[in-house]
Amino acid sequence: MSKSIKDMGWDELVPGAALFSFNQAVESVLAQTNPEDRAYAETNSKNLYVGDWRVMKPVWNTELCIDCQNCWIYCPDSAVISRNKEIQGIDYDHCKGCGICVEVCPTNPKSLMMFNETEKNELALTKWPLKKEKGEK
Amino acid sequence: MNSKEMELNKVEVWDGNTCNAQAFRQAAVDVVAAYPITPSTNTVETYASFHANGYVDGEIIMVESEHAAMSGCVGAGAAGGRVATATSSQGCALMVEVLYQCSGMRIPVVLCLVNRALAAPLNVNGDHSDMYLTRDAGWIQLDSFNAQEAYDLTLCAFKIGEHKDVRLPVISNQDGFLTSHTAQTVRPLSDKVAYDFVGDYLQVNAMLDFTNPVTHGVQTEHDWHFEHKAKQHAALMSSLFVVEEVFEEFEKISGRKYNLVESYKVEDADVVIVCLGTTYETAMIAVDAIREETGIKAGVLAPRLFRPFPLTQLASKLQNVKAIACMDRSAPGGTVGTLYNEVAGALFNTQARPILKNLVYGLGGRDIIVNELKEIFVSLNEEAKNGKLNGKIQTLHGVRGPELSFYEH
Ligand code: SF4
Ligand code: SF4
């Protein structure tokens, strides 16, 4: 796709409600290439901002995280960023705020918690709960 | 081509379902999804016997519903295969959701639709309700009037749908039982000639191309949906020319000529019946009989394509006709029949302003016989002479009880 899709007429689209995911043929092994190094096409959902779908957001607490990768595995939108098995934070451009990452986080207290979308992350981090004792809900 | 060839006689005795199955086999289809429903069951059943006997190299996938059958076809087609299936009636209704997916994704699946009434009341016999149901699904629709044509058109369907300018799925229609279960003489092509005609298929943007990954059936909302639909419609409208091209090529190998609009003695006709399916052949007999007995200049016309509808080709054949009965074999559902609407739409912007009436007939497999068609010609002729319609525009022809007519002119 040399032209931006925004400038295309109906007769220039790829037929078949199909979109190319990459600008060029994929020669590398995708799993070994970080997203920032992939030649995503303009129309790839990687380039779409969907953060405004969110009402609550997950906040990540680096102090407590044990890098177990659970949140990274379970996030349905690949919105948890992990490099070399170390969590880097949340990609707020693509996180829809479903809370699954928080649900699957095994630490005590959780290293990810949901906060109001309008809450500042720094402030959220000061409101973290304490470790729960055995049997405590 | 399949690795094992089947020896065929010059003339075979096949019913319409066998014709479908043979066409699938000769096109060397990669994947056939099979879910049985009367009267199309024998299409996949016969194909399965070819598969069991080693005549087929492709796969048969057993699915749990027609929705799954068409979904399997879309998946296999998107992956890059040549795919086909068959269905009827309720099965077709269950497929509808995926029919739209298929045409929108521009996957050239071939669906043999053996036309049958839609319940309720439950009825396994033929009418055109399922064909009409798929009217706006974005598929090319061919209509055969007998078994030979079912074989020919199903073969053509692959070539038309897979053409690079078309890339759309195709429905090959035939009348339930009247065509699908009536054994008739059929002149098949040899496996080689048939396969060479259909040709190899290479899907563009196949999903299993790992170096050029593609997303099929993407979400577009208001910003691109309209343009995608425009592109699809443009391909559908101009597929008429490809259909003509394929018909010409088919004539070269088979000697059998197909047209976008089939007609019999329409050139000098005053009164014409427009219909679909097997009624065309019955009407040909009625035309000959009525011309001989009364001198009424009768003719019959049937679009070979239900979609895209051959509007101009049909209109040009009807310019000198005085009265037309558009015959719809589907419950009208609160308006005039579809065929009536199409014909009216085709004629409205031309010089011709014939008397146009709508006969709804043959629902749920009720017979239409030569004598009835002759009577229709006689009454059409009265109307043509008087220059006005006798009675209302729409009549339910052949229903028990007092005449049931609607829509005052
Ligand atoms: S809230 Fe949902 S979308 Fe956002 S990072 Fe967590 S799992 Fe992913
Ligand atoms: S699930 Fe919790 S502990 Fe595990 S990596 Fe994610 S944030 Fe860290």
Side-chain angles (χ1 to χ4, degrees):
Chain A
M1 266 184 275
S2 50
K3 206 175 192 176
S4 165
I5 190 166
K6 299 260 181 296
D7 301 324
M8 284 184 189
W10 66 266
D11 50 342
E12 296 168 287
L13 295 171
V14 181
L19 290 176
F20 294 110
S21 308
F22 299 96
N23 271 330
Q24 61 213 42
V26 178
E27 271 135 24
S28 53
V29 180
L30 269 181
Q32 290 165 11
T33 317
N34 283 335
E36 56 271 27
D37 301 327
R38 299 176 195 165
Y40 284 119
E42 180 201 0
T43 48
N44 191 294
S45 54
K46 177 82 184 158
N47 295 323
L48 295 179
Y49 176 81
V50 286
D52 47 8
W53 295 14
R54 200 170 53 225
V55 184
M56 302 281 283
K57 66 174 173 187
V59 175
W60 176 59
N61 193 328
T62 176
E63 302 290 315
L64 299 163
C65 176
I66 55 167
D67 288 319
C68 71
Q69 310 295 305
N70 264 0
C71 54
W72 177 77
I73 289 168
Y74 281 96
C75 172
D77 292 299
S78 303
V80 177
I81 307 164
S82 171
R83 292 287 174 274
N84 301 319
K85 299 202 177 107
E86 281 177 14
I87 301 296
Q88 311 289 308
I90 307 292
D91 165 9
Y92 287 119
D93 284 0
H94 297 102
C95 165
K96 321 279 195 299
C98 68
I100 289 172
C101 52
V102 172
E103 221 33 65
V104 297
C105 180
T107 59
N108 183 0
K110 287 187 182 288
S111 316
L112 277 162
M113 294 209 34
M114 298 304 280
F115 286 89
N116 204 310
E117 178 62 26
T118 52
E119 183 85 273
K120 283 212 158 41
N121 278 16
E122 303 80 70
L123 207 63
L125 286 169
T126 65
K127 298 181 177 168
W128 225 261
L130 297 170
K131 182 173 171 165
K132 279 186 190 136
E133 294 309 321
K134 235 186 173 149
E136 199 182 337
K137 279 259 165 183
Chain B
M1 210 172 130
N2 294 314
S3 52
K4 186 170 161 190
E5 200 171 328
M6 189 181 276
E7 290 294 327
L8 298 173
N9 296 312
K10 214 164 144 208
V11 181
E12 293 278 350
V13 180
W14 288 346
D15 60 20
N17 275 316
T18 309
C19 289
N20 287 340
Q22 288 284 4
F24 287 3
R25 187 187 59 79
Q26 292 191 325
V29 172
D30 295 308
V31 175
V32 167
Y35 194 84
I37 182 164
T38 306
S40 73
T41 307
N42 306 58
T43 293
V44 286
E45 218 169 64
T46 308
Y47 184 79
S49 79
F50 298 155
H51 187 265
N53 293 322
Y55 288 105
V56 169
D57 294 338
E59 301 281 331
I60 294 185
I61 44 173
M62 306 289 201
V63 284
E64 67 275 19
S65 73
E66 287 88 352
H67 190 278
M70 190 42 66
S71 301
C73 287
V74 169
R82 172 176 286 162
V83 285
T85 188
T87 199
S88 296
S89 181
Q90 312 302 123
C92 173
L94 189 54
M95 271 185 188
V96 165
E97 192 245 318
V98 197
L99 294 184
Y100 280 74
Q101 302 278 357
C102 188
S103 62
M105 291 189 218
R106 307 284 297 271
I107 296 168
V109 171
V110 170
L111 168 63
C112 286
L113 189 55
V114 179
N115 300 140
R116 165 186 150 185
L118 283 168
L122 183 64
N123 183 312
V124 296
N125 291 296
D127 74 23
H128 294 151
S129 300
D130 51 7
M131 186 200 308
Y132 282 18
L133 175 69
T134 59
R135 197 190 61 183
D136 297 340
W139 288 53
I140 293 173
Q141 298 218 35
L142 306 169
D143 190 25
S144 52
F145 314 150
N146 58 41
Q148 176 75 63
E149 296 180 359
Y151 167 76
D152 293 350
L153 293 181
T154 302
L155 267 182
C156 288
F158 289 101
K159 200 171 171 68
I160 293 165
E162 291 168 7
H163 190 283
K164 64 174 178 18
D165 298 336
V166 179
R167 291 175 56 193
L168 283 167
V170 186
I171 291 176
S172 169
N173 286 289
Q174 62 175 275
D175 276 356
F177 292 102
L178 298 176
T179 299
S180 68
H181 283 62
T182 308
Q184 301 173 35
T185 53
V186 173
R187 293 169 186 274
L189 304 169
S190 75
D191 283 10
K192 169 128 182 47
V193 170
Y195 187 80
D196 287 349
F197 166 71
V198 177
D200 294 336
Y201 171 54
L202 264 185
Q203 150 86 312
V204 190
N205 300 329
M207 221 156 58
L208 288 184
D209 178 354
F210 294 123
T211 48
N212 291 294
V214 171
T215 312
H216 278 264
V218 291
Q219 183 176 8
T220 55
E221 303 297 357
H222 50 276
D223 42 359
W224 286 106
H225 186 86
F226 196 179
E227 281 73 19
H228 273 293
K229 284 293 161 192
K231 187 154 198 167
Q232 190 184 333
H233 184 59
L236 201 48
M237 289 305 263
S238 40
S239 67
L240 274 178
F241 307 109
V242 175
V243 174
E244 264 184 321
E245 232 176 84
V246 171
F247 282 172
E248 270 166 37
E249 267 187 66
F250 189 76
E251 188 189 2
K252 280 188 207 134
I253 59 161
S254 69
R256 293 187 286 273
K257 172 98 186 107
Y258 291 97
N259 303 292
L260 300 182
V261 174
E262 304 293 353
S263 62
Y264 184 65
K265 299 197 176 168
V266 162
E267 289 65 32
D268 68 334
D270 291 329
V271 292
V272 165
I273 280 174
V274 180
C275 59
L276 289 162
T278 44
T279 308
Y280 180 76
E281 296 201 331
T282 317
M284 281 163 74
I285 298 169
V287 164
D288 283 341
I290 204 80
R291 276 183 179 250
E292 199 183 310
E293 290 159 21
T294 64
I296 292 174
K297 288 182 172 171
V300 56
L301 177 146
R304 179 62 75 187
L305 279 163
F306 183 53
R307 281 293 177 274
F309 200 77
L311 296 156
T312 49
Q313 292 81 354
L314 177 128
S316 76
K317 286 199 175 240
L318 294 174
Q319 287 305 300
N320 301 316
V321 176
K322 299 197 178 83
I324 296 171
C326 297
M327 312 271 292
D328 277 285
R329 198 167 202 165
S330 166
T335 181
V336 286
T338 296
L339 206 51
Y340 174 89
N341 264 334
E342 306 281 2
V343 173
L347 290 175
F348 192 78
N349 285 314
T350 67
Q351 293 303 314
R353 278 304 189 78
I355 291 161
L356 208 56
K357 62 179 187 180
N358 181 211
L359 299 181
V360 175
Y361 77 107
L363 302 189
R366 178 155 303 174
D367 277 338
I368 180 107
I369 57 173
V370 174
N371 272 349
E372 284 172 274
L373 292 163
K374 277 161 65 180
E375 280 165 23
I376 293 170
F377 280 129
V378 170
S379 96
L380 269 182
N381 198 49
E382 285 305 307
E383 290 162 331
K385 271 197 297 196
N386 297 339
K388 69 174 181 37
L389 198 63
N390 178 25
K392 296 185 181 173
I393 291 171
Q394 182 183 59
T395 299
L396 270 60
H397 172 90
V399 71
R400 282 195 196 95
E403 179 171 292
L404 192 53
S405 295
F406 304 93
Y407 186 20
E408 212 93 43
H409 42 96

